[in-house]
């Protein structure tokens, strides 16, 4: 893919070539133009201004990109705000996303089509696997993402209808199972009584079925739980102490029987809609994390609130147990789930979304605060074409501005007989200009992306050779 040969050569060459250009300011160029006497001197000063703009703006456009398409030209042809940088790499955009090291840094990919975004995620998954960092990918049924992960990971487990069944409670003690279910319950029904009833149900199922799944939790008739506990004591399956403990939990939670039943049925329906009925093909996420592989978990529609919450709680529990992994979120609405911030904090992550900005607003959290928190830890941002003008403006503001130098200069000469006169018009000014205009992000062609990293901005085609 050309990911190693010319990595970072694109912008580092620009930085070296124009290191001195950034010293030129509008005032310096104005003074020099006042003293200029020849066209050669004037052309050199124009070149200094252009190089200074390039250095300050830190934007490179690869050859073949339409300047008019990018809407980066001003009214004056000589005041062109598009810069070309030659690159021999066939995958310059991926080279730039890859960066100088193999260490995976956090990345946001927004806009464009699904295949485009997936292509831009290749360096994140590939680098994590190169550095022996396991990856958890949560997605809403993205087949392109699963195909890419298959090609860029040493070991992979797909949790989906066609892959493994989501065996969330594998190897968990009773306390963790009860806590996980309680944390997943909607806040208006998560009460101490509900937690007690869940614990009693879990104890009974472990003794009778030998395991806990979403299916057998939902299938158990809660109204018969008390009589089942009594029958188990009479049959010798429970000692007196065990009976007292489980019966206590059951009685303490009897007032919330309906709420627990409704919760378990809803959670199981969402699970079966994505993974089908539980068969023998169960997931083993802990094993895959130990093997430093990739686990891709399909959560179906973003409307599966309970299922997504369960997965997030499960991953937070694994992190609390010392499991380290990178996180990839694909089209998961960020603001709808407050625990996403906890999951991402302190770990490398990738967020891929049709519109990252819109996923931050309309949820329970304030969009601007969440935007600042997430983008503040991002090394690279890859922006494809966006249809929303509000989104384009938000990203344009985020990418910042630079001090652009503009020159207006002309010389009029009159060498008539016995009457020679010279006049010159001179104007040099500096103004704040967006590094990338909002309209640029709305007019990018298919495959073109604006890639922003700590080293600058590159507009190039994202493709996998």
């Amino acid at each position: 893919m050309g990911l190693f040969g010319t990595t970072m050569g694109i912008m580092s060459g620009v930085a070296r070539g124009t290191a001195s250009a950034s010293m030129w300011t509008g005032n310096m160029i104005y003074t020099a133009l006042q003293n200029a006497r020849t066209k050669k001197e004037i052309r050199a000063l124009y070149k200094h201004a252009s190089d200074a703009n390039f250095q300050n703006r830190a934007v490179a456009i690869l050859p073949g990109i339409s300047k008019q398409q990018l809407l980066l030209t001003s009214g004056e042809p000589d005041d062109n705000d598009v810069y070309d940088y030659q690159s021999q790499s066939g995958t310059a955009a991926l080279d730039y996303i890859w960066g100088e090291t193999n260490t995976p840094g956090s990345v946001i990919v927004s806009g464009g089509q699904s295949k485009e975004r997936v292509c831009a995620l290749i360096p994140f998954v590939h680098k994590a696997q190169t550095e022996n960092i396991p990856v958890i990918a949560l997605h809403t049924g993205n087949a392109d993402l699963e195909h890419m992960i298959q090609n860029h990971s040493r070991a992979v487990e797909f949790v989906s209808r066609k892959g493994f069944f989501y065996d969330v409670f594998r190897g968990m003690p009773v306390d963790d199972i009860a806590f996980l279910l309680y944390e997943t319950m909607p806040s208006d029904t998560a009460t101490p009584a509900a937690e007690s009833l869940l614990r009693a149900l879990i104890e009974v199922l472990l003794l009778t079925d030998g395991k806990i799944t979403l299916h057998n939790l939902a299938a158990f008739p809660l109204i018969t739980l008390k009589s089942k506990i009594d029958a188990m004591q009479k049959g010798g399956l429970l000692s007196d102490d065990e009976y007292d403990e489980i019966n206590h939990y059951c009685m303490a939670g009897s007032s919330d029987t309906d709420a627990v039943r409704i919760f378990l049925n809803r959670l199981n329906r969402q699970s079966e809609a994505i993974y089908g009925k539980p068969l023998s093909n169960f997931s083993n996420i802990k094993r895959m994390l130990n093997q430093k592989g990739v686990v891709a978990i399909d959560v179906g529609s973003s409307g599966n609130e309970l299922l997504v919450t369960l997965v997030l709680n499960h991953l937070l529990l694994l992190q609390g147990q010392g499991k380290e992994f990178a996180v990839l979120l694909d089209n998961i609405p960020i603001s709808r789930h407050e625990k996403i911030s906890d999951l991402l904090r302190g770990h490398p992550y990738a967020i891929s979304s049709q519109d990252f900005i819109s996923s931050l607003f309309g949820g329970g959290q304030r969009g601007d605060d969440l935007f600042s928190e997430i983008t503040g830890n991002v090394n690279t941002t890859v922006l494809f074409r966006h249809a929303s003008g509000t989104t384009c403006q938000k990203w344009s503001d985020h990418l910042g501005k630079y001090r652009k130098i503009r020159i207006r200069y002309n010389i009029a000469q009159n060498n008539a007989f016995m009457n020679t006169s010279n006049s010159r018009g001179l104007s040099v000014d500096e103004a704040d200009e967006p590094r990338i205009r909002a309209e640029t992000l709305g007019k990018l062609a298919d495959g073109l992306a604006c890639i922003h990293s700590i080293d600058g901005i590159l507009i190039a085609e994202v493709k996998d050779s």
Side-chain angles (χ1 to χ4, degrees):
M1 295 188 302
L3 288 173
F4 295 100
T6 57
T7 300
M8 292 306 298
I10 298 165
M11 293 302 294
S12 60
V14 175
R16 288 193 298 270
T18 60
S20 61
S22 60
M23 298 178 62
W24 285 86
T25 65
N27 287 334
M28 294 172 62
I29 290 175
Y30 180 81
T31 302
L33 281 171
Q34 284 183 316
N35 299 322
R37 292 293 181 268
T38 66
K39 290 183 178 180
K40 182 178 181 180
E41 290 176 323
I42 294 171
R43 282 196 296 268
L45 291 170
Y46 267 98
K47 181 65 165 58
H48 282 309
S50 178
D51 288 345
N53 285 342
F54 193 177
Q55 175 70 4
N56 295 331
R57 186 166 183 257
V59 177
I61 311 296
L62 291 189
I65 308 304
S66 168
K67 294 180 175 64
Q68 297 299 326
Q69 175 76 56
L70 295 175
L71 297 178
L72 290 172
T73 55
S74 67
E76 295 293 330
D78 291 336
D79 196 20
N80 201 334
D81 202 15
V82 176
Y83 306 94
D84 289 342
Y85 183 76
Q86 300 295 325
S87 173
Q88 297 179 352
S89 171
T91 56
L94 283 184
D95 295 344
Y96 193 48
I97 299 170
W98 189 277
E100 295 181 312
T101 69
N102 283 337
T103 304
S106 298
V107 58
I108 291 173
V109 183
S110 182
Q113 305 298 316
S114 172
K115 289 185 178 180
E116 295 174 346
R117 294 194 302 273
V118 166
C119 188
L121 291 169
I122 289 175
F124 179 82
V125 174
H126 201 155
K127 282 193 285 189
Q129 290 289 271
T130 301
E131 294 296 297
N132 291 322
I133 300 175
V135 178
I136 299 287
L138 305 185
H139 65 100
T140 55
N142 190 339
D144 295 323
L145 180 68
E146 289 190 344
H147 180 73
M148 183 273 285
I149 289 173
Q150 182 73 61
N151 293 334
H152 293 274
S153 59
R154 64 166 60 84
V156 62
E157 184 170 279
F158 296 112
V159 182
S160 62
R161 181 176 289 272
K162 295 181 180 179
F164 292 89
F165 185 84
Y166 184 45
D167 192 9
V168 62
F169 305 120
R170 176 190 290 265
M172 280 190 186
V174 173
D175 287 343
D176 285 349
I177 297 175
F179 172 79
L180 197 57
L181 288 171
Y182 176 72
E183 286 291 297
T184 304
M185 291 187 74
S187 57
D188 57 339
T189 57
T191 63
E195 185 178 16
S196 292
L197 189 61
L198 284 169
R199 187 180 181 92
L201 175 61
I202 292 166
E203 295 279 11
V204 168
L205 287 175
L206 283 174
L207 288 170
T208 55
D209 290 7
K211 63 179 180 179
I212 301 296
T213 66
L214 291 175
H215 178 74
N216 67 3
L217 283 168
F220 190 93
L222 278 176
I223 197 172
T224 66
L225 181 59
K226 176 65 171 69
S227 58
K228 180 68 173 179
I229 295 171
D230 292 340
M232 290 173 67
Q233 185 203 26
K234 293 178 181 178
L237 291 177
L238 293 175
S239 65
D240 290 342
D241 289 340
E242 290 173 334
Y243 172 79
D244 289 341
E245 180 182 10
I246 296 175
N247 189 60
H248 170 73
Y249 286 132
C250 179
M251 297 302 293
S254 60
S255 61
D256 278 9
T257 299
D258 287 341
V260 171
R261 175 180 54 80
I262 292 171
F263 160 67
L264 291 175
N265 284 332
R266 285 182 58 204
L267 182 58
N268 184 58
R269 281 198 300 270
Q270 291 183 12
S271 173
E272 290 188 347
I274 305 304
Y275 311 122
K277 297 286 185 180
L279 301 173
S280 59
N281 201 19
F282 289 95
S283 64
N284 192 338
I285 294 176
K286 284 188 177 180
R287 181 186 64 188
M288 192 57 57
L289 293 178
N290 291 335
Q291 292 178 357
K292 311 299 183 183
V294 180
V295 180
I297 304 177
D298 183 356
V299 296
S301 165
S302 59
N304 291 331
E305 297 275 345
L306 291 179
L307 181 60
V308 176
T309 303
L310 178 67
V311 175
L312 292 174
N313 286 330
H314 184 197
L315 299 183
L316 285 169
L317 182 61
L318 291 174
Q319 283 184 347
Q321 294 171 350
K323 299 291 184 181
E324 293 290 337
F325 50 85
V327 179
L328 191 158
L329 301 176
D330 179 72
N331 265 345
I332 307 294
I334 307 299
S335 64
R336 199 177 291 179
H337 304 279
E338 293 186 9
K339 294 184 178 180
I340 285 180
S341 296
D342 297 330
L343 181 65
L344 302 181
R345 194 170 291 119
H347 305 276
Y349 59 82
I351 298 176
S352 172
S353 176
Q354 294 176 353
D355 191 338
F356 173 74
I357 301 297
S358 66
S359 77
L360 298 180
F361 292 84
Q365 302 183 79
R366 293 182 58 188
D368 288 329
D369 293 343
L370 192 56
F371 178 85
S372 299
E373 178 182 352
I374 292 180
T375 56
N377 296 298
V378 168
N379 299 74
T380 305
T381 304
V382 183
L383 304 175
F384 293 96
R385 179 172 56 194
H386 286 76
S388 168
T390 301
T391 293
C392 293
Q393 187 60 54
K394 183 76 173 181
W395 279 123
S396 178
D397 294 341
H398 175 70
L399 297 176
K401 297 182 178 181
Y402 74 106
R403 297 289 290 176
K404 180 175 180 178
I405 302 173
R406 289 188 173 89
I407 299 175
R408 300 291 186 274
Y409 186 89
N410 63 76
I411 298 177
Q413 294 179 327
N414 183 5
N415 294 319
F417 180 70
M418 299 294 290
N419 185 17
T420 300
S421 64
N422 293 314
S423 64
R424 67 175 66 190
L426 176 61
S427 172
V428 179
D429 65 86
E430 292 182 89
D432 289 332
E433 291 282 346
R435 299 174 77 190
I436 296 295
R437 299 181 188 277
E439 24 317 8
T440 299
L441 299 177
K443 294 291 185 179
L444 288 171
D446 291 343
L448 285 187
C450 171
I451 305 162
H452 174 229
S453 78
I454 57 174
D455 298 288
I457 298 177
L458 174 72
I459 294 181
E461 182 180 3
V462 180
K463 61 182 180 180
D464 182 12
S465 63

